[in-house]
Structure formats: C-alpha cells, structure tokens
Amino acid sequence: MFPVTVLFAASLLTIAPGLSVEQKIASGETKVLLVPLEAGQFVQVHIDQRQTNLVVVVLGPGNVTVATRDVRDRGREPVSFISDRQGTYRFEIRSVLPRVPPSSFGVQVNAIRPAVPADARVVEAEASATEASDAYRKGDRASLRRSLELRRR
C-alpha cells in the first residue's frame, strides 16, 4: 500500500496503514485530518481517545457526512467507511464534553485500500454500534429498547 499525504492540524504529514500520529486536543477544539481518496476505497482508522471522550465525524466531498462515530467514552474508537467518490475526505475530531483538560490522542490508519464485499459489513456494524450508544445515552424506555435491538444484530 502506498503512503497517503494528509493535512492534519495545519501540518503536512505522510501516513500509511500501520503508522500512527499523536496529537493534543483541548475543549472546544476540532482537529482535522484530510485524506484524499479514490472512489471505492475502504478506510479504517482507530482514534485512541485515551482519557478524553472524542467524537469523530467524517465528511466526504461536498461536506456530506459519511460517518459519525462515538461508541466508546475512552480507548480506541474505530472509524471505517467506503469512499463513494473521488475527493478529499475530512475527519473532524473533537471532545464530546465542553470542559475537559487538554489531553493527547492518537490516530492509527489501519487500512486504505480497494473495498471488498466484507468491508460493507464492518462499516454497517460500526454504524449500528454508534446508533446503539446514542440511543442508550438518551435513557428513556424506547431508546433503551432500541439500543438493545441494535446491539443484538
């Protein structure tokens, strides 16, 4: 796999699957990772949140939301998707809570490659896990039931 040149927090970096990038983030701050992709590529990134709950939003060309991930409050947050068209994809990483001390997080690119049929199931599972977590956080009876249904898939 060839390295991918990305723009991360105003610094030009070259990353490839298996390599990691460390960053610091503070409350109210959004870190941005730009990744140029061809149509039909499978991308799998892990955000190591460490001690700060982060949400990751992936925007495709035209600022269309491709994925939103916030399953875990701490630890590794998987973010996978299949690019539907050529262009630059934007990962926006920010703290979920409004007031947290500055902390570090890591980004590890696990895959950027042509998609295979099994990749769609990975993307669907991550999306279902995020939806289940969102429903659970609402806490009402119907949302808790929906969360349970999604987690059983």
Side-chain angles (χ1 to χ4, degrees):
M1 182 67 193
F2 58 91
V4 176
T5 300
V6 299
L7 180 68
F8 195 24
S11 300
L12 194 61
L13 304 169
T14 301
I15 60 174
L19 296 180
S20 298
V21 177
E22 299 288 324
Q23 289 288 304
K24 296 227 181 259
I25 193 163
S27 293
E29 189 175 18
T30 300
K31 295 291 185 169
V32 176
L33 171 67
L34 299 176
V35 182
L37 298 171
E38 299 295 324
Q41 287 188 289
F42 173 71
V43 177
Q44 185 176 64
V45 173
H46 280 109
I47 307 298
D48 186 353
Q49 305 175 96
R50 312 242 164 73
Q51 297 302 312
T52 302
N53 188 5
L54 301 173
V55 62
V56 182
V57 178
V58 180
L59 301 169
N63 285 329
V64 175
T65 301
V66 174
T68 300
R69 298 292 185 264
D70 182 24
V71 176
R72 296 172 177 83
D73 290 343
R74 305 280 186 272
R76 291 168 57 100
E77 188 83 65
V79 182
S80 302
F81 66 94
I82 299 170
S83 59
D84 61 349
R85 61 183 176 156
Q86 180 180 356
T88 300
Y89 287 73
R90 176 183 177 102
F91 287 69
E92 294 184 350
I93 304 162
R94 64 181 175 276
S95 174
V96 170
L97 300 174
R99 292 193 174 126
V100 294
S103 63
S104 64
F105 70 95
V107 176
Q108 181 174 4
V109 180
N110 294 335
I112 299 176
R113 58 170 170 71
V116 297
D119 295 334
R121 290 192 297 276
V122 171
V123 172
E124 182 182 324
E126 285 180 17
S128 291
T130 296
E131 188 179 344
S133 291
D134 291 346
Y136 180 79
R137 287 183 188 116
K138 289 180 183 174
D140 62 86
R141 187 180 186 106
S143 295
L144 292 173
R145 185 174 293 127
R146 175 74 178 140
S147 177
L148 187 59
E149 289 169 7
L150 288 164
R151 290 182 191 274
R152 287 182 176 161
R153 283 189 186 174

